[in-house]
Each structure stands twice: as C-alpha cells, then as structure tokens.
Amino acid sequence: MAHIIEITDFSASALDIYARLTENQLLNRHEPEKGMFIAESPKVIGRALDAGCKPVSLLLERRHIAGQAREIIARCQDVPVYTADFDVLTQLTGFQLTRGVLCAMLRPPLPTVQEVCEGARRVVVLENVMNPTNVGAIFRSAAALGMDGVLLTPSSSNPLYRRAIRVSMGTVFQIPWTFLDTGQDTEGWPGPGMALIRDLGFKTVAMALSDHAVTIEDPRLRQEEKLAIIMGTEGDGLSEETIAGCDYTARIPMAHGVDSLNVASASAVAFWQLGRH
C-alpha cells in the first residue's frame, strides 16, 4: 500500500534529495553503495524500474496520485510518497522544471568493461564529454541507432546526473554503460583503456577532423565485425594521443564551409551510418 505523506515542512531532511543536495552529494563517492540519483517523469522512472533500480521515495503533485503516477506508485510499493499541490511544490527549488513526478533511487553498481562489451558489435567511447546535456543526447542516439554499449573516460559527466537522465529520456537505463576506470579494468586513458578495448576484439575509429581521415561512408568501417566509435570533448575534440592510437580516423562530410557538428549531433550521424548491418 502506498505511504502518502503530505508536505508541510519544506526543511524536512527527506526532501533534501530533491531540493538541496548537489549532484556530487547524491553521487556519494566515499560510500558509493549509498549513492542516489533522481529520475523525472513516469516514463523515465518506469525505465529505471525495468532496469532493476531500487526506489527510495517519490515526490509528486497530488493530482498525479490517481493519474499518471498511479502505476509507478504501485510498482514502488511501500516507499514514501511525498505530495502537495503544484503551487506548494514550486517552493522546492527546481520543481517547476520537472514533469510533476520525481523518484529518488539508489545507484546500481557499475558493470565491468568486459560485461558491457560482451556480445557487443558496436560500442561508443566518450572521451572527456563533460556536458550532461550532450551525454544524455548521445545515450538517446546510441539506444535508438544500434549501439550496444557506452564506455566513458573518468572525466566525462556521469550519465546518472539528473539532466543527463532527463535528456536521454531514460535510455541511460536501457543501454549498458560503465566508466573506463572502475578500479579493476584499467587505470588510464587512452593507453590501458585502448589496449583493453582491443583485447576485447574491437577495432577503433576516432571521430575527428584530420587530413588523414576517411569519411564515415568508407565501407571498411561498416565491414568491421566489432567497432568502437570514439568521440571527444565539446571544445577540443579527441586528444592527439587517442587519434594516433586508433585503427581509423573518420569524419562526417560537411557542406557550406561548416567544419564540424556538436558532439551530440555528430554522434547521431555516426551511429546511423556505422551501426547499420
């Protein structure tokens, strides 16, 4: 049975998760087993539940209890459901930016790189992609366009940051991912990380502007049985060391003198071309 709790005290510690804790505090690096994240909207929360994520509490508008959140509340069983009318909830920082239903959840343990890559034909590697909006958009494209997994270097934004989850529309829960530095697989990038990807049978392609780059239409890329598509940070792109260590360097053909696309837009084009059988 749902445990409905009317909000009367905005300073209640139970609401810190939603209104006062930073992303780094939610992440809880010192005790990762206690780390949490916030999922927004019934669709995204449902995808997180489908992936096995454990709910801690819900925060929602009262009108959603018997409406769009009804199934989510039933699936979350006995967790506290904090509620009030919308004009009351907007006193909580940021609530007016949501879709009326929030769920605090425990962060699941990360898989190993080997587990993400097991059986995969196409994986994405994000090198220092630090904008959560871009990370979320890349995950959405990866899930939609045939990628089997995502690997991130340690400096990349965490896919379970609130904005990344929102932009991804919950696809961060549908496609396997992990960091390339989990304390057990590799201790650095690109050296050990690239070596690990190769050991798992992948050829690597750096998406970068280079005089030696082939276009993404090059048939050799599509013919590779296992391919890791490596994309770089928003400003500087991939490091020279990464580009030098890849089997291929590829670019997206441009028109009208445009030199490149935003990394999220470029990912969609690359995944569409390179993910097709």
Side-chain angles (χ1 to χ4, degrees):
M1 179 179 293
H3 183 200
I4 307 295
I5 302 171
E6 187 77 14
I7 295 173
T8 57
D9 181 6
F10 284 93
S11 66
S13 60
L15 300 180
D16 288 347
I17 300 170
Y18 300 101
R20 289 177 283 274
L21 296 185
T22 66
E23 294 282 17
N24 283 334
Q25 287 173 319
L26 287 172
L27 183 59
N28 200 348
R29 297 179 189 277
H30 298 297
E31 296 181 277
E33 70 280 0
K34 296 180 181 179
M36 288 185 282
F37 65 89
I38 305 296
E40 303 179 11
S41 84
K43 176 181 287 187
V44 172
I45 296 168
R47 287 177 172 172
L49 293 171
D50 291 343
C53 297
K54 304 298 183 184
V56 174
S57 65
L58 287 157
L59 174 66
L60 48 86
E61 293 179 56
R62 184 185 292 107
R63 66 188 179 94
H64 293 321
I65 293 174
Q68 62 175 313
R70 181 174 57 185
E71 182 180 342
I72 293 298
I73 293 171
R75 292 185 66 183
C76 290
Q77 298 180 343
D78 297 328
V79 306
V81 179
Y82 299 99
T83 187
D85 289 330
F86 180 74
D87 58 349
V88 176
L89 290 176
T90 54
Q91 298 178 51
L92 287 170
T93 302
F95 189 85
Q96 65 269 30
L97 302 177
T98 75
R99 299 185 180 182
V101 183
L102 305 179
C103 186
M105 295 181 146
L106 293 175
R107 287 176 176 260
L110 287 177
T112 65
V113 173
Q114 289 90 340
E115 288 170 338
V116 170
C117 293
E118 185 177 2
R121 179 178 174 271
R122 294 290 185 267
V123 297
V124 183
V125 180
L126 301 184
E127 179 183 273
N128 305 335
V129 178
M130 293 174 276
N131 186 314
T133 298
N134 284 336
V135 170
I138 291 169
F139 264 85
R140 189 171 181 179
S141 293
L145 299 173
M147 299 297 105
D148 301 309
V150 180
L151 306 173
L152 304 97
T153 62
S155 295
S156 293
S157 180
N158 195 294
L160 293 186
Y161 281 172
R162 190 163 168 173
R163 185 163 182 80
I165 296 172
R166 181 193 306 150
V167 173
S168 81
M169 290 299 294
T171 54
V172 293
F173 306 114
Q174 295 180 308
I175 184 167
W177 63 271
T178 196
F179 283 96
L180 272 160
D181 183 359
T182 64
Q184 54 186 322
D185 297 313
T186 181
E187 296 180 359
W189 176 266
M194 191 84 75
L196 176 58
I197 291 170
R198 282 214 180 90
D199 288 345
L200 293 171
F202 288 86
K203 295 290 187 179
T204 53
V205 55
M207 297 299 302
L209 300 176
S210 169
D211 293 337
H212 305 292
V214 301
T215 76
I216 59 170
E217 298 165 326
D218 190 304
R220 292 174 296 175
L221 298 173
R222 290 269 300 278
Q223 291 166 5
E224 290 291 355
E225 181 180 350
K226 300 174 74 173
L227 189 66
I229 303 164
I230 305 177
M231 313 199 73
T233 187
E234 293 85 351
D236 299 327
L238 292 172
S239 69
E240 292 184 4
E241 186 180 359
T242 296
I243 295 171
C246 284
D247 299 296
Y248 302 95
T249 302
R251 57 179 175 80
I252 299 170
M254 297 279 126
H256 300 293
V258 178
D259 60 353
S260 64
L261 297 172
N262 165 275
V263 65
S265 299
S267 73
V269 177
F271 301 163
W272 166 253
Q273 176 65 27
L274 302 177
R276 291 182 291 166
H277 292 279

